[in-house]
Amino acid sequence: MTSQALLLKILNRLQKLKFLIPLGGILVGALLYLYAKQIPAIYSVKSTVFPLTAGPDKSSNSKLTELIGGGSGGTKSLSDEANVNIEEVAKSRKTREAVAGEKVESHENKTVAELLINEFNLRKKINAREIKIPINELELKSIGATLLKDSYTIKVNKNGLLEITYGSTNEKLISPVSYILINKISQFYIELKVKKAEFDFAFTEKKIDSLDRVLANFDKKTIATSNKTLFVRPNKLQYTIPQENLENSKLQVLAQRNGAASNREEALWRMQKATPIISIMDTPEPPFDVVKPSKMLYGLVGFIIGCLLFSLLFIVGLLFKFTNHQVKQTIAEKLTEP
């Protein structure tokens, strides 16, 4: 059988079955249409939160350092150090578990973890295992935190505003869970800010005490040096031992002490400023963004795939016979060769 003969047979076969091929396409298209209809819509909302605490006031810090006497060449300010990253706080397991353990009054006082588990079981795929609600509270929070992990995103935009985008297949969960997320993120962020400020304050207090002791030691050495004299010949000319190096060392330590005092005041200012006051600019309220696959697009793609599959199914016998004939012919030619 030649290639031209095979092509002619294929065309004749498809011509005879030209009514069955569209029916196959319609069948596959209808199946994909029904599948797309079963895919749940994903609702999402973006909440914009005003900065929890404003950035460090560099001008006030420099003025404070200047007044205390630190000068421009003093120690490094605390405001130049790495600060608490709110994005890492928001995505941490501790935050997610705290959110999962909160109860939602509008949903029969169930915890967020229970609501997420119920929603997962309702929308789970056929090959996915059902999650049973555990009795142990820690295990319940752990499962809830895992389900919550990929449900929201955190971003700090170019204006310094915190954007929290939460999505779910249950439209009624969007607002309550979003508000709980905002509250927990702000709470933990503020706690870390205050804790860091307290640590900085305690550290600078110890450093100042240490430097004060060093300065007191310099004063003792200065007094002791001043009491030492050197007399030459009977005219009793008195010479004072040089103290330039001692004075220079004292000035260096004094500059460090002034810088540490500036840092202490800044840490105290931070503790007073890190207050649990936030402002939600864009509230997580309807209307929500909806993402759902197009049923018509799924149906059209299914129709095309169905037509191709049924066409291939009808001509696969001819292709097999042609291939088998070609293989036998090649083997026969090889055997007859001298």
Side-chain angles (χ1 to χ4, degrees):
M1 182 187 297
T2 62
S3 301
Q4 292 80 1
L6 174 64
L7 181 60
L8 184 61
K9 287 188 176 183
I10 289 175
L11 292 176
N12 291 334
R13 177 69 61 85
L14 294 178
Q15 181 68 22
K16 292 179 182 178
L17 302 172
K18 61 183 179 180
F19 296 108
L20 294 178
I21 293 174
L23 289 177
I26 293 173
L27 177 62
V28 177
L31 291 176
L32 285 182
Y33 179 88
L34 294 175
Y35 172 75
K37 196 174 182 180
Q38 297 299 320
I39 298 176
I42 298 178
Y43 302 91
S44 64
V45 65
K46 181 174 70 175
S47 310
T48 305
V49 183
F50 193 75
L52 304 173
T53 52
D57 189 352
K58 295 183 179 180
S59 60
S60 63
N61 290 335
S62 60
K63 288 289 184 183
L64 181 60
T65 304
E66 183 179 348
L67 289 173
I68 294 177
S72 59
T75 57
K76 184 178 179 181
S77 173
L78 291 174
S79 59
D80 296 330
E81 297 176 357
N83 216 322
V84 180
N85 190 325
I86 190 170
E87 295 183 44
E88 294 180 0
V89 173
K91 295 296 290 185
S92 67
R93 186 176 184 84
K94 179 182 178 182
T95 301
R96 288 185 281 115
E97 287 183 349
V99 173
E102 284 292 308
K103 294 183 178 180
V104 184
E105 295 182 0
S106 59
H107 288 72
E108 301 177 356
N109 218 29
K110 292 182 179 179
T111 62
V112 173
E114 291 175 318
L115 295 173
L116 293 177
I117 292 173
N118 291 335
E119 186 65 19
F120 174 83
N121 292 334
L122 181 64
R123 306 292 185 182
K124 71 179 183 67
K125 297 180 180 179
I126 299 176
N127 58 341
R129 296 179 59 183
E130 183 177 348
I131 301 176
K132 295 183 179 180
I133 297 178
I135 300 176
N136 186 285
E137 184 178 356
L138 294 177
E139 187 178 354
L140 179 63
K141 289 182 179 181
S142 178
I143 296 175
T146 303
L147 294 175
L148 191 63
K149 183 176 182 180
D150 297 326
S151 300
Y152 69 100
T153 58
I154 300 293
K155 177 185 176 183
V156 178
N157 64 19
K158 61 182 180 180
N159 297 321
L161 299 179
L162 179 66
E163 295 178 351
I164 305 174
T165 304
Y166 174 71
S168 174
T169 53
N170 189 341
E171 186 178 5
K172 296 180 180 179
L173 291 180
I174 299 295
S175 292
V177 175
S178 294
Y179 278 115
I180 293 174
L181 268 171
I182 293 171
N183 291 334
K184 289 299 178 183
I185 291 170
S186 61
Q187 176 188 343
F188 289 153
Y189 178 71
I190 291 167
E191 287 177 358
L192 286 174
K193 292 276 286 185
V194 172
K195 188 177 294 184
K196 185 178 185 301
E198 290 175 348
F199 176 82
D200 291 339
F201 183 81
F203 174 79
T204 52
E205 278 281 88
K206 293 179 180 179
K207 187 173 182 179
I208 289 173
D209 292 340
S210 175
L211 293 173
D212 283 339
R213 289 193 294 270
V214 174
L215 290 173
N217 191 32
F218 276 124
D219 291 336
K220 290 180 181 179
K221 288 183 178 181
T222 303
I223 295 172
T225 304
S226 299
N227 292 333
K228 293 179 180 180
T229 55
L230 178 63
F231 299 96
V232 180
R233 295 186 179 183
N235 55 11
K236 297 184 179 179
L237 293 176
Q238 182 174 327
Y239 297 91
T240 303
I241 296 177
Q243 302 177 15
E244 288 82 358
N245 294 336
L246 192 61
E247 288 295 330
N248 290 337
S249 299
K250 181 179 178 180
L251 289 176
Q252 291 177 0
V253 175
L254 185 60
Q256 293 180 15
R257 195 265 181 202
N258 291 337
S262 172
N263 288 343
R264 178 183 62 183
E265 294 302 319
E266 183 181 342
L268 181 61
W269 173 76
R270 282 187 178 185
M271 283 192 291
Q272 295 171 344
K273 190 176 181 182
T275 54
I277 299 175
I278 62 172
S279 177
I280 304 176
M281 309 297 289
D282 295 331
T283 58
E285 298 292 343
F288 303 132
D289 296 328
V290 184
V291 177
K292 186 174 177 63
S294 172
K295 298 185 289 292
M296 295 302 298
L297 181 61
Y298 268 70
L300 179 61
V301 172
F303 176 78
I304 296 173
I305 294 175
C307 290
L308 293 175
L309 286 177
F310 271 75
S311 299
L312 182 62
L313 181 64
F314 293 146
I315 65 174
V316 67
L318 294 176
L319 294 175
F320 177 76
K321 289 181 180 179
F322 175 76
T323 304
N324 189 34
H325 174 75
Q326 291 294 111
V327 170
K328 289 181 178 179
Q329 185 177 355
T330 303
I331 294 174
E333 290 177 356
K334 292 288 184 181
L335 293 175
T336 56
E337 287 181 0

